[in-house]
Amino acid sequence: MSLELTFLGTGSAFPCPGRGAAALLLRREGQCWLFDCGEGTQTQLMRSRLRAARITKIFITHLHGDHIFGLPGLLCTLSLQSSPEASKAPIDIYGPLGLRSFLWRSLELSHSQLLFPYAVHELVPTRDQCPPEEFRDFSGLDRGEALPQAPPGRVLHLDPGEDSYLLLEDEQLVVRAFRLFHRVPSFGFVLEEKPRPGKLNVQKLKDLG
């Protein structure tokens, strides 16, 4: 399995002319997975040899602006560069509870209609992930409101036995999120490659003694 990392932004709080806000891109098996999407991510992608159209999954660590303010714009640009396909697989977006509402409202208020489907999978934080006075319960966000075009997705709870959140699994790797302590609930992501048993040519070994 081939993995390649590209740092698109390492700045904090706001983008600089030579350094964008937080964004990291992982290239894997012809796909691109984006981790965080601060302002300037689109510009950094254009400066690189990476193709934004290959992004299939997006992971957001937390809801501070320097990690998410570039996301609605990036999705709109990807939509402008794509054609409507009924069979196109959705872009999966993972992040803290509240991310679905942020994206839906940003796109709705700006009259932005994406030509591709996307799904938002929200991680439910625990109260010990940030100072008590900073914790906000977003579990009731938009409750009772009609959100006919809100994106689908799962609500993921902490697995106490694993002390993590299982995000996805395929034949090659498992992706989990784990809790971090920050000023707001924050998550880290782990990509764990599955064991790959080797193959031995027993007869060849015998021939070689």
Side-chain angles (χ1 to χ4, degrees), residues 27-65:
R27 201 155 55 156
R28 177 214 174 204
E29 306 295 322
Q31 299 182 14
C32 291
W33 293 3
L34 180 65
F35 293 81
D36 282 335
C37 188
E39 287 181 84
T41 298
Q42 289 190 68
T43 305
Q44 295 295 85
L45 277 167
M46 293 172 189
R47 289 175 176 169
S48 73
R49 291 179 294 175
L50 301 166
R51 292 183 58 191
R54 292 189 181 273
I55 294 174
T56 59
K57 301 189 188 304
I58 299 173
F59 302 84
I60 300 297
T61 58
H62 62 291
L63 299 182
H64 275 152

PDB file of all heavy atoms in Angstrom, residues 27-65:
ATOM      1  N   ARG A  27      -2.313  10.917   0.000  1.00  0.00           N
ATOM      2  CA  ARG A  27      -2.610  10.265  -1.266  1.00  0.00           C
ATOM      3  C   ARG A  27      -2.467   8.766  -1.075  1.00  0.00           C
ATOM      4  O   ARG A  27      -1.442   8.283  -0.609  1.00  0.00           O
ATOM      5  CB  ARG A  27      -1.664  10.761  -2.357  1.00  0.00           C
ATOM      6  CG  ARG A  27      -2.204  10.535  -3.762  1.00  0.00           C
ATOM      7  CD  ARG A  27      -1.617  11.524  -4.740  1.00  0.00           C
ATOM      8  NE  ARG A  27      -0.164  11.516  -4.727  1.00  0.00           N
ATOM      9  CZ  ARG A  27       0.560  11.918  -5.776  1.00  0.00           C
ATOM     10  NH1 ARG A  27      -0.030  12.321  -6.869  1.00  0.00           N
ATOM     11  NH2 ARG A  27       1.872  11.926  -5.700  1.00  0.00           N
ATOM     12  N   ARG A  28      -3.522   8.040  -1.448  1.00  0.00           N
ATOM     13  CA  ARG A  28      -3.554   6.605  -1.218  1.00  0.00           C
ATOM     14  C   ARG A  28      -4.313   5.907  -2.337  1.00  0.00           C
ATOM     15  O   ARG A  28      -5.477   6.205  -2.580  1.00  0.00           O
ATOM     16  CB  ARG A  28      -4.230   6.311   0.120  1.00  0.00           C
ATOM     17  CG  ARG A  28      -4.376   4.828   0.426  1.00  0.00           C
ATOM     18  CD  ARG A  28      -5.631   4.511   1.189  1.00  0.00           C
ATOM     19  NE  ARG A  28      -5.790   3.075   1.328  1.00  0.00           N
ATOM     20  CZ  ARG A  28      -6.960   2.478   1.530  1.00  0.00           C
ATOM     21  NH1 ARG A  28      -8.057   3.190   1.610  1.00  0.00           N
ATOM     22  NH2 ARG A  28      -7.026   1.162   1.625  1.00  0.00           N
ATOM     23  N   GLU A  29      -3.632   5.015  -3.047  1.00  0.00           N
ATOM     24  CA  GLU A  29      -4.280   4.194  -4.071  1.00  0.00           C
ATOM     25  C   GLU A  29      -5.080   5.028  -5.071  1.00  0.00           C
ATOM     26  O   GLU A  29      -6.211   4.694  -5.433  1.00  0.00           O
ATOM     27  CB  GLU A  29      -5.203   3.154  -3.411  1.00  0.00           C
ATOM     28  CG  GLU A  29      -4.537   2.289  -2.360  1.00  0.00           C
ATOM     29  CD  GLU A  29      -3.461   1.394  -2.924  1.00  0.00           C
ATOM     30  OE1 GLU A  29      -3.646   0.877  -4.040  1.00  0.00           O
ATOM     31  OE2 GLU A  29      -2.422   1.224  -2.267  1.00  0.00           O
ATOM     32  N   GLY A  30      -4.528   6.160  -5.497  1.00  0.00           N
ATOM     33  CA  GLY A  30      -5.202   6.994  -6.483  1.00  0.00           C
ATOM     34  C   GLY A  30      -6.244   7.937  -5.910  1.00  0.00           C
ATOM     35  O   GLY A  30      -6.790   8.775  -6.622  1.00  0.00           O
ATOM     36  N   GLN A  31      -6.543   7.821  -4.618  1.00  0.00           N
ATOM     37  CA  GLN A  31      -7.484   8.716  -3.953  1.00  0.00           C
ATOM     38  C   GLN A  31      -6.724   9.731  -3.112  1.00  0.00           C
ATOM     39  O   GLN A  31      -5.560   9.530  -2.755  1.00  0.00           O
ATOM     40  CB  GLN A  31      -8.440   7.937  -3.045  1.00  0.00           C
ATOM     41  CG  GLN A  31      -9.309   6.920  -3.735  1.00  0.00           C
ATOM     42  CD  GLN A  31     -10.246   6.237  -2.752  1.00  0.00           C
ATOM     43  OE1 GLN A  31     -10.433   6.669  -1.625  1.00  0.00           O
ATOM     44  NE2 GLN A  31     -10.840   5.137  -3.182  1.00  0.00           N
ATOM     45  N   CYS A  32      -7.401  10.832  -2.782  1.00  0.00           N
ATOM     46  CA  CYS A  32      -6.828  11.829  -1.882  1.00  0.00           C
ATOM     47  C   CYS A  32      -7.752  11.998  -0.679  1.00  0.00           C
ATOM     48  O   CYS A  32      -8.969  12.161  -0.845  1.00  0.00           O
ATOM     49  CB  CYS A  32      -6.651  13.168  -2.592  1.00  0.00           C
ATOM     50  SG  CYS A  32      -5.365  13.163  -3.868  1.00  0.00           S
ATOM     51  N   TRP A  33      -7.174  11.942   0.501  1.00  0.00           N
ATOM     52  CA  TRP A  33      -7.917  12.180   1.736  1.00  0.00           C
ATOM     53  C   TRP A  33      -7.375  13.473   2.351  1.00  0.00           C
ATOM     54  O   TRP A  33      -6.168  13.613   2.552  1.00  0.00           O
ATOM     55  CB  TRP A  33      -7.736  11.037   2.717  1.00  0.00           C
ATOM     56  CG  TRP A  33      -8.356   9.741   2.264  1.00  0.00           C
ATOM     57  CD1 TRP A  33      -8.992   9.491   1.076  1.00  0.00           C
ATOM     58  CD2 TRP A  33      -8.373   8.501   2.992  1.00  0.00           C
ATOM     59  NE1 TRP A  33      -9.409   8.187   1.023  1.00  0.00           N
ATOM     60  CE2 TRP A  33      -9.051   7.559   2.177  1.00  0.00           C
ATOM     61  CE3 TRP A  33      -7.903   8.110   4.236  1.00  0.00           C
ATOM     62  CZ2 TRP A  33      -9.258   6.242   2.590  1.00  0.00           C
ATOM     63  CZ3 TRP A  33      -8.099   6.803   4.639  1.00  0.00           C
ATOM     64  CH2 TRP A  33      -8.776   5.886   3.833  1.00  0.00           C
ATOM     65  N   LEU A  34      -8.274  14.397   2.659  1.00  0.00           N
ATOM     66  CA  LEU A  34      -7.881  15.694   3.194  1.00  0.00           C
ATOM     67  C   LEU A  34      -8.143  15.747   4.696  1.00  0.00           C
ATOM     68  O   LEU A  34      -9.225  15.387   5.155  1.00  0.00           O
ATOM     69  CB  LEU A  34      -8.674  16.800   2.486  1.00  0.00           C
ATOM     70  CG  LEU A  34      -8.386  18.240   2.912  1.00  0.00           C
ATOM     71  CD1 LEU A  34      -6.955  18.636   2.556  1.00  0.00           C
ATOM     72  CD2 LEU A  34      -9.382  19.192   2.260  1.00  0.00           C
ATOM     73  N   PHE A  35      -7.148  16.210   5.437  1.00  0.00           N
ATOM     74  CA  PHE A  35      -7.284  16.365   6.884  1.00  0.00           C
ATOM     75  C   PHE A  35      -7.234  17.858   7.217  1.00  0.00           C
ATOM     76  O   PHE A  35      -6.216  18.510   7.019  1.00  0.00           O
ATOM     77  CB  PHE A  35      -6.170  15.608   7.613  1.00  0.00           C
ATOM     78  CG  PHE A  35      -6.276  14.110   7.472  1.00  0.00           C
ATOM     79  CD1 PHE A  35      -5.804  13.486   6.321  1.00  0.00           C
ATOM     80  CD2 PHE A  35      -6.856  13.337   8.457  1.00  0.00           C
ATOM     81  CE1 PHE A  35      -5.904  12.116   6.164  1.00  0.00           C
ATOM     82  CE2 PHE A  35      -6.957  11.957   8.314  1.00  0.00           C
ATOM     83  CZ  PHE A  35      -6.484  11.346   7.159  1.00  0.00           C
ATOM     84  N   ASP A  36      -8.367  18.384   7.665  1.00  0.00           N
ATOM     85  CA  ASP A  36      -8.584  19.807   7.935  1.00  0.00           C
ATOM     86  C   ASP A  36      -8.579  20.615   6.641  1.00  0.00           C
ATOM     87  O   ASP A  36      -8.005  20.201   5.620  1.00  0.00           O
ATOM     88  CB  ASP A  36      -7.585  20.367   8.940  1.00  0.00           C
ATOM     89  CG  ASP A  36      -7.936  19.980  10.375  1.00  0.00           C
ATOM     90  OD1 ASP A  36      -9.120  19.718  10.652  1.00  0.00           O
ATOM     91  OD2 ASP A  36      -7.021  19.946  11.232  1.00  0.00           O
ATOM     92  N   CYS A  37      -9.240  21.779   6.714  1.00  0.00           N
ATOM     93  CA  CYS A  37      -9.385  22.582   5.496  1.00  0.00           C
ATOM     94  C   CYS A  37      -9.510  24.054   5.893  1.00  0.00           C
ATOM     95  O   CYS A  37     -10.581  24.643   5.818  1.00  0.00           O
ATOM     96  CB  CYS A  37     -10.609  22.115   4.697  1.00  0.00           C
ATOM     97  SG  CYS A  37     -10.751  22.867   3.065  1.00  0.00           S
ATOM     98  N   GLY A  38      -8.394  24.630   6.313  1.00  0.00           N
ATOM     99  CA  GLY A  38      -8.388  26.039   6.662  1.00  0.00           C
ATOM    100  C   GLY A  38      -8.390  26.914   5.420  1.00  0.00           C
ATOM    101  O   GLY A  38      -8.299  26.437   4.287  1.00  0.00           O
ATOM    102  N   GLU A  39      -8.504  28.222   5.636  1.00  0.00           N
ATOM    103  CA  GLU A  39      -8.439  29.162   4.510  1.00  0.00           C
ATOM    104  C   GLU A  39      -7.113  28.990   3.772  1.00  0.00           C
ATOM    105  O   GLU A  39      -6.070  28.762   4.375  1.00  0.00           O
ATOM    106  CB  GLU A  39      -8.534  30.595   5.026  1.00  0.00           C
ATOM    107  CG  GLU A  39      -9.897  31.006   5.509  1.00  0.00           C
ATOM    108  CD  GLU A  39      -9.881  32.452   5.965  1.00  0.00           C
ATOM    109  OE1 GLU A  39     -10.022  33.346   5.113  1.00  0.00           O
ATOM    110  OE2 GLU A  39      -9.701  32.677   7.173  1.00  0.00           O
ATOM    111  N   GLY A  40      -7.175  29.104   2.458  1.00  0.00           N
ATOM    112  CA  GLY A  40      -5.966  28.976   1.657  1.00  0.00           C
ATOM    113  C   GLY A  40      -5.712  27.570   1.145  1.00  0.00           C
ATOM    114  O   GLY A  40      -4.783  27.366   0.353  1.00  0.00           O
ATOM    115  N   THR A  41      -6.527  26.602   1.566  1.00  0.00           N
ATOM    116  CA  THR A  41      -6.303  25.220   1.120  1.00  0.00           C
ATOM    117  C   THR A  41      -6.436  25.100  -0.394  1.00  0.00           C
ATOM    118  O   THR A  41      -5.628  24.428  -1.049  1.00  0.00           O
ATOM    119  CB  THR A  41      -7.282  24.269   1.821  1.00  0.00           C
ATOM    120  OG1 THR A  41      -7.059  24.307   3.241  1.00  0.00           O
ATOM    121  CG2 THR A  41      -7.105  22.839   1.334  1.00  0.00           C
ATOM    122  N   GLN A  42      -7.437  25.762  -0.968  1.00  0.00           N
ATOM    123  CA  GLN A  42      -7.606  25.700  -2.421  1.00  0.00           C
ATOM    124  C   GLN A  42      -6.379  26.249  -3.151  1.00  0.00           C
ATOM    125  O   GLN A  42      -5.900  25.666  -4.128  1.00  0.00           O
ATOM    126  CB  GLN A  42      -8.835  26.504  -2.849  1.00  0.00           C
ATOM    127  CG  GLN A  42     -10.157  25.888  -2.470  1.00  0.00           C
ATOM    128  CD  GLN A  42     -11.300  26.609  -3.150  1.00  0.00           C
ATOM    129  OE1 GLN A  42     -11.452  26.544  -4.363  1.00  0.00           O
ATOM    130  NE2 GLN A  42     -12.096  27.322  -2.363  1.00  0.00           N
ATOM    131  N   THR A  43      -5.876  27.380  -2.684  1.00  0.00           N
ATOM    132  CA  THR A  43      -4.709  27.991  -3.316  1.00  0.00           C
ATOM    133  C   THR A  43      -3.502  27.068  -3.243  1.00  0.00           C
ATOM    134  O   THR A  43      -2.761  26.906  -4.215  1.00  0.00           O
ATOM    135  CB  THR A  43      -4.383  29.336  -2.638  1.00  0.00           C
ATOM    136  OG1 THR A  43      -5.542  30.166  -2.669  1.00  0.00           O
ATOM    137  CG2 THR A  43      -3.235  30.036  -3.338  1.00  0.00           C
ATOM    138  N   GLN A  44      -3.310  26.450  -2.080  1.00  0.00           N
ATOM    139  CA  GLN A  44      -2.179  25.541  -1.919  1.00  0.00           C
ATOM    140  C   GLN A  44      -2.319  24.317  -2.820  1.00  0.00           C
ATOM    141  O   GLN A  44      -1.335  23.814  -3.360  1.00  0.00           O
ATOM    142  CB  GLN A  44      -2.059  25.109  -0.455  1.00  0.00           C
ATOM    143  CG  GLN A  44      -1.727  26.248   0.512  1.00  0.00           C
ATOM    144  CD  GLN A  44      -0.355  26.820   0.246  1.00  0.00           C
ATOM    145  OE1 GLN A  44      -0.178  27.689  -0.606  1.00  0.00           O
ATOM    146  NE2 GLN A  44       0.636  26.320   0.960  1.00  0.00           N
ATOM    147  N   LEU A  45      -3.549  23.832  -2.985  1.00  0.00           N
ATOM    148  CA  LEU A  45      -3.775  22.713  -3.891  1.00  0.00           C
ATOM    149  C   LEU A  45      -3.403  23.086  -5.330  1.00  0.00           C
ATOM    150  O   LEU A  45      -2.808  22.299  -6.060  1.00  0.00           O
ATOM    151  CB  LEU A  45      -5.239  22.270  -3.830  1.00  0.00           C
ATOM    152  CG  LEU A  45      -5.621  21.322  -2.686  1.00  0.00           C
ATOM    153  CD1 LEU A  45      -7.131  21.213  -2.561  1.00  0.00           C
ATOM    154  CD2 LEU A  45      -4.998  19.951  -2.890  1.00  0.00           C
ATOM    155  N   MET A  46      -3.759  24.313  -5.724  1.00  0.00           N
ATOM    156  CA  MET A  46      -3.443  24.763  -7.083  1.00  0.00           C
ATOM    157  C   MET A  46      -1.936  24.897  -7.300  1.00  0.00           C
ATOM    158  O   MET A  46      -1.447  24.713  -8.416  1.00  0.00           O
ATOM    159  CB  MET A  46      -4.130  26.102  -7.359  1.00  0.00           C
ATOM    160  CG  MET A  46      -5.642  26.020  -7.416  1.00  0.00           C
ATOM    161  SD  MET A  46      -6.409  27.660  -7.524  1.00  0.00           S
ATOM    162  CE  MET A  46      -8.144  27.234  -7.290  1.00  0.00           C
ATOM    163  N   ARG A  47      -1.209  25.214  -6.235  1.00  0.00           N
ATOM    164  CA  ARG A  47       0.245  25.336  -6.353  1.00  0.00           C
ATOM    165  C   ARG A  47       0.934  23.979  -6.403  1.00  0.00           C
ATOM    166  O   ARG A  47       2.096  23.878  -6.807  1.00  0.00           O
ATOM    167  CB  ARG A  47       0.792  26.130  -5.163  1.00  0.00           C
ATOM    168  CG  ARG A  47       0.443  27.606  -5.191  1.00  0.00           C
ATOM    169  CD  ARG A  47       0.918  28.291  -3.925  1.00  0.00           C
ATOM    170  NE  ARG A  47       0.671  29.730  -3.974  1.00  0.00           N
ATOM    171  CZ  ARG A  47       0.795  30.537  -2.924  1.00  0.00           C
ATOM    172  NH1 ARG A  47       1.175  30.047  -1.752  1.00  0.00           N
ATOM    173  NH2 ARG A  47       0.555  31.817  -3.045  1.00  0.00           N
ATOM    174  N   SER A  48       0.242  22.949  -5.975  1.00  0.00           N
ATOM    175  CA  SER A  48       0.829  21.616  -5.940  1.00  0.00           C
ATOM    176  C   SER A  48       0.515  20.867  -7.223  1.00  0.00           C
ATOM    177  O   SER A  48      -0.183  21.361  -8.111  1.00  0.00           O
ATOM    178  CB  SER A  48       0.268  20.839  -4.733  1.00  0.00           C
ATOM    179  OG  SER A  48      -1.076  20.454  -4.980  1.00  0.00           O
ATOM    180  N   ARG A  49       1.010  19.646  -7.299  1.00  0.00           N
ATOM    181  CA  ARG A  49       0.710  18.784  -8.443  1.00  0.00           C
ATOM    182  C   ARG A  49      -0.444  17.848  -8.125  1.00  0.00           C
ATOM    183  O   ARG A  49      -0.715  16.911  -8.870  1.00  0.00           O
ATOM    184  CB  ARG A  49       1.952  17.986  -8.826  1.00  0.00           C
ATOM    185  CG  ARG A  49       3.071  18.840  -9.413  1.00  0.00           C
ATOM    186  CD  ARG A  49       4.282  18.000  -9.749  1.00  0.00           C
ATOM    187  NE  ARG A  49       4.900  17.455  -8.546  1.00  0.00           N
ATOM    188  CZ  ARG A  49       5.919  16.601  -8.556  1.00  0.00           C
ATOM    189  NH1 ARG A  49       6.428  16.194  -9.705  1.00  0.00           N
ATOM    190  NH2 ARG A  49       6.429  16.144  -7.429  1.00  0.00           N
ATOM    191  N   LEU A  50      -1.125  18.111  -7.013  1.00  0.00           N
ATOM    192  CA  LEU A  50      -2.232  17.261  -6.581  1.00  0.00           C
ATOM    193  C   LEU A  50      -3.523  17.674  -7.274  1.00  0.00           C
ATOM    194  O   LEU A  50      -3.711  18.841  -7.614  1.00  0.00           O
ATOM    195  CB  LEU A  50      -2.407  17.355  -5.062  1.00  0.00           C
ATOM    196  CG  LEU A  50      -1.179  16.953  -4.244  1.00  0.00           C
ATOM    197  CD1 LEU A  50      -1.333  17.410  -2.808  1.00  0.00           C
ATOM    198  CD2 LEU A  50      -0.971  15.446  -4.303  1.00  0.00           C
ATOM    199  N   ARG A  51      -4.408  16.732  -7.449  1.00  0.00           N
ATOM    200  CA  ARG A  51      -5.693  17.008  -8.094  1.00  0.00           C
ATOM    201  C   ARG A  51      -6.797  16.996  -7.047  1.00  0.00           C
ATOM    202  O   ARG A  51      -7.096  15.959  -6.444  1.00  0.00           O
ATOM    203  CB  ARG A  51      -5.983  15.966  -9.175  1.00  0.00           C
ATOM    204  CG  ARG A  51      -5.042  16.054 -10.376  1.00  0.00           C
ATOM    205  CD  ARG A  51      -5.425  15.051 -11.442  1.00  0.00           C
ATOM    206  NE  ARG A  51      -6.809  15.257 -11.878  1.00  0.00           N
ATOM    207  CZ  ARG A  51      -7.478  14.406 -12.644  1.00  0.00           C
ATOM    208  NH1 ARG A  51      -6.891  13.282 -13.055  1.00  0.00           N
ATOM    209  NH2 ARG A  51      -8.716  14.652 -13.013  1.00  0.00           N
ATOM    210  N   ALA A  52      -7.392  18.156  -6.823  1.00  0.00           N
ATOM    211  CA  ALA A  52      -8.459  18.262  -5.822  1.00  0.00           C
ATOM    212  C   ALA A  52      -9.637  17.357  -6.168  1.00  0.00           C
ATOM    213  O   ALA A  52     -10.348  16.884  -5.277  1.00  0.00           O
ATOM    214  CB  ALA A  52      -8.920  19.710  -5.707  1.00  0.00           C
ATOM    215  N   ALA A  53      -9.844  17.111  -7.460  1.00  0.00           N
ATOM    216  CA  ALA A  53     -10.974  16.277  -7.879  1.00  0.00           C
ATOM    217  C   ALA A  53     -10.852  14.851  -7.376  1.00  0.00           C
ATOM    218  O   ALA A  53     -11.845  14.114  -7.374  1.00  0.00           O
ATOM    219  CB  ALA A  53     -11.078  16.287  -9.408  1.00  0.00           C
ATOM    220  N   ARG A  54      -9.671  14.451  -6.934  1.00  0.00           N
ATOM    221  CA  ARG A  54      -9.480  13.091  -6.433  1.00  0.00           C
ATOM    222  C   ARG A  54      -9.819  12.962  -4.947  1.00  0.00           C
ATOM    223  O   ARG A  54      -9.705  11.869  -4.374  1.00  0.00           O
ATOM    224  CB  ARG A  54      -8.044  12.631  -6.668  1.00  0.00           C
ATOM    225  CG  ARG A  54      -7.702  12.432  -8.144  1.00  0.00           C
ATOM    226  CD  ARG A  54      -6.345  11.774  -8.287  1.00  0.00           C
ATOM    227  NE  ARG A  54      -5.977  11.580  -9.676  1.00  0.00           N
ATOM    228  CZ  ARG A  54      -6.321  10.520 -10.398  1.00  0.00           C
ATOM    229  NH1 ARG A  54      -7.064   9.574  -9.855  1.00  0.00           N
ATOM    230  NH2 ARG A  54      -5.944  10.407 -11.655  1.00  0.00           N
ATOM    231  N   ILE A  55     -10.208  14.067  -4.303  1.00  0.00           N
ATOM    232  CA  ILE A  55     -10.543  14.000  -2.877  1.00  0.00           C
ATOM    233  C   ILE A  55     -11.836  13.211  -2.695  1.00  0.00           C
ATOM    234  O   ILE A  55     -12.870  13.553  -3.249  1.00  0.00           O
ATOM    235  CB  ILE A  55     -10.689  15.413  -2.279  1.00  0.00           C
ATOM    236  CG1 ILE A  55      -9.336  16.134  -2.297  1.00  0.00           C
ATOM    237  CG2 ILE A  55     -11.220  15.345  -0.843  1.00  0.00           C
ATOM    238  CD1 ILE A  55      -9.411  17.587  -1.847  1.00  0.00           C
ATOM    239  N   THR A  56     -11.757  12.143  -1.908  1.00  0.00           N
ATOM    240  CA  THR A  56     -12.936  11.311  -1.649  1.00  0.00           C
ATOM    241  C   THR A  56     -13.361  11.324  -0.189  1.00  0.00           C
ATOM    242  O   THR A  56     -14.496  10.985   0.126  1.00  0.00           O
ATOM    243  CB  THR A  56     -12.665   9.855  -2.061  1.00  0.00           C
ATOM    244  OG1 THR A  56     -11.533   9.366  -1.326  1.00  0.00           O
ATOM    245  CG2 THR A  56     -12.378   9.757  -3.557  1.00  0.00           C
ATOM    246  N   LYS A  57     -12.434  11.713   0.696  1.00  0.00           N
ATOM    247  CA  LYS A  57     -12.756  11.761   2.122  1.00  0.00           C
ATOM    248  C   LYS A  57     -12.089  12.984   2.746  1.00  0.00           C
ATOM    249  O   LYS A  57     -10.983  13.355   2.362  1.00  0.00           O
ATOM    250  CB  LYS A  57     -12.298  10.487   2.845  1.00  0.00           C
ATOM    251  CG  LYS A  57     -12.940   9.217   2.280  1.00  0.00           C
ATOM    252  CD  LYS A  57     -12.636   8.023   3.133  1.00  0.00           C
ATOM    253  CE  LYS A  57     -13.120   6.739   2.449  1.00  0.00           C
ATOM    254  NZ  LYS A  57     -14.557   6.798   2.129  1.00  0.00           N
ATOM    255  N   ILE A  58     -12.805  13.586   3.702  1.00  0.00           N
ATOM    256  CA  ILE A  58     -12.297  14.763   4.406  1.00  0.00           C
ATOM    257  C   ILE A  58     -12.471  14.525   5.898  1.00  0.00           C
ATOM    258  O   ILE A  58     -13.551  14.111   6.345  1.00  0.00           O
ATOM    259  CB  ILE A  58     -13.034  16.043   3.967  1.00  0.00           C
ATOM    260  CG1 ILE A  58     -12.844  16.290   2.459  1.00  0.00           C
ATOM    261  CG2 ILE A  58     -12.538  17.255   4.761  1.00  0.00           C
ATOM    262  CD1 ILE A  58     -13.677  17.427   1.900  1.00  0.00           C
ATOM    263  N   PHE A  59     -11.431  14.790   6.660  1.00  0.00           N
ATOM    264  CA  PHE A  59     -11.446  14.588   8.106  1.00  0.00           C
ATOM    265  C   PHE A  59     -11.162  15.927   8.790  1.00  0.00           C
ATOM    266  O   PHE A  59     -10.155  16.567   8.497  1.00  0.00           O
ATOM    267  CB  PHE A  59     -10.388  13.567   8.522  1.00  0.00           C
ATOM    268  CG  PHE A  59     -10.551  12.215   7.870  1.00  0.00           C
ATOM    269  CD1 PHE A  59     -10.040  11.980   6.590  1.00  0.00           C
ATOM    270  CD2 PHE A  59     -11.201  11.183   8.517  1.00  0.00           C
ATOM    271  CE1 PHE A  59     -10.176  10.743   5.980  1.00  0.00           C
ATOM    272  CE2 PHE A  59     -11.345   9.929   7.917  1.00  0.00           C
ATOM    273  CZ  PHE A  59     -10.835   9.715   6.643  1.00  0.00           C
ATOM    274  N   ILE A  60     -12.040  16.336   9.692  1.00  0.00           N
ATOM    275  CA  ILE A  60     -11.905  17.622  10.395  1.00  0.00           C
ATOM    276  C   ILE A  60     -11.606  17.347  11.870  1.00  0.00           C
ATOM    277  O   ILE A  60     -12.370  16.654  12.545  1.00  0.00           O
ATOM    278  CB  ILE A  60     -13.190  18.462  10.255  1.00  0.00           C
ATOM    279  CG1 ILE A  60     -13.486  18.753   8.773  1.00  0.00           C
ATOM    280  CG2 ILE A  60     -13.066  19.753  11.059  1.00  0.00           C
ATOM    281  CD1 ILE A  60     -12.436  19.571   8.064  1.00  0.00           C
ATOM    282  N   THR A  61     -10.497  17.902  12.365  1.00  0.00           N
ATOM    283  CA  THR A  61     -10.098  17.631  13.744  1.00  0.00           C
ATOM    284  C   THR A  61     -10.977  18.343  14.764  1.00  0.00           C
ATOM    285  O   THR A  61     -11.337  17.773  15.790  1.00  0.00           O
ATOM    286  CB  THR A  61      -8.638  18.028  13.979  1.00  0.00           C
ATOM    287  OG1 THR A  61      -8.475  19.425  13.668  1.00  0.00           O
ATOM    288  CG2 THR A  61      -7.696  17.208  13.106  1.00  0.00           C
ATOM    289  N   HIS A  62     -11.308  19.621  14.500  1.00  0.00           N
ATOM    290  CA  HIS A  62     -12.165  20.364  15.422  1.00  0.00           C
ATOM    291  C   HIS A  62     -12.751  21.570  14.692  1.00  0.00           C
ATOM    292  O   HIS A  62     -12.408  21.845  13.540  1.00  0.00           O
ATOM    293  CB  HIS A  62     -11.408  20.778  16.689  1.00  0.00           C
ATOM    294  CG  HIS A  62     -10.245  21.691  16.463  1.00  0.00           C
ATOM    295  ND1 HIS A  62      -9.085  21.297  15.822  1.00  0.00           N
ATOM    296  CD2 HIS A  62     -10.044  22.990  16.800  1.00  0.00           C
ATOM    297  CE1 HIS A  62      -8.231  22.304  15.783  1.00  0.00           C
ATOM    298  NE2 HIS A  62      -8.799  23.359  16.361  1.00  0.00           N
ATOM    299  N   LEU A  63     -13.658  22.272  15.356  1.00  0.00           N
ATOM    300  CA  LEU A  63     -14.464  23.286  14.687  1.00  0.00           C
ATOM    301  C   LEU A  63     -13.937  24.707  14.823  1.00  0.00           C
ATOM    302  O   LEU A  63     -14.672  25.659  14.584  1.00  0.00           O
ATOM    303  CB  LEU A  63     -15.918  23.214  15.190  1.00  0.00           C
ATOM    304  CG  LEU A  63     -16.632  21.884  14.943  1.00  0.00           C
ATOM    305  CD1 LEU A  63     -18.087  21.946  15.434  1.00  0.00           C
ATOM    306  CD2 LEU A  63     -16.590  21.491  13.461  1.00  0.00           C
ATOM    307  N   HIS A  64     -12.683  24.889  15.180  1.00  0.00           N
ATOM    308  CA  HIS A  64     -12.102  26.229  15.117  1.00  0.00           C
ATOM    309  C   HIS A  64     -11.988  26.658  13.649  1.00  0.00           C
ATOM    310  O   HIS A  64     -11.707  25.836  12.764  1.00  0.00           O
ATOM    311  CB  HIS A  64     -10.719  26.259  15.773  1.00  0.00           C
ATOM    312  CG  HIS A  64     -10.778  26.468  17.252  1.00  0.00           C
ATOM    313  ND1 HIS A  64      -9.813  26.004  18.119  1.00  0.00           N
ATOM    314  CD2 HIS A  64     -11.693  27.123  18.034  1.00  0.00           C
ATOM    315  CE1 HIS A  64     -10.117  26.352  19.362  1.00  0.00           C
ATOM    316  NE2 HIS A  64     -11.250  27.026  19.339  1.00  0.00           N
ATOM    317  N   GLY A  65     -12.177  27.952  13.407  1.00  0.00           N
ATOM    318  CA  GLY A  65     -12.251  28.453  12.049  1.00  0.00           C
ATOM    319  C   GLY A  65     -11.040  28.172  11.192  1.00  0.00           C
ATOM    320  O   GLY A  65     -11.164  27.938   9.985  1.00  0.00           O
TER     321      GLY A  65
END
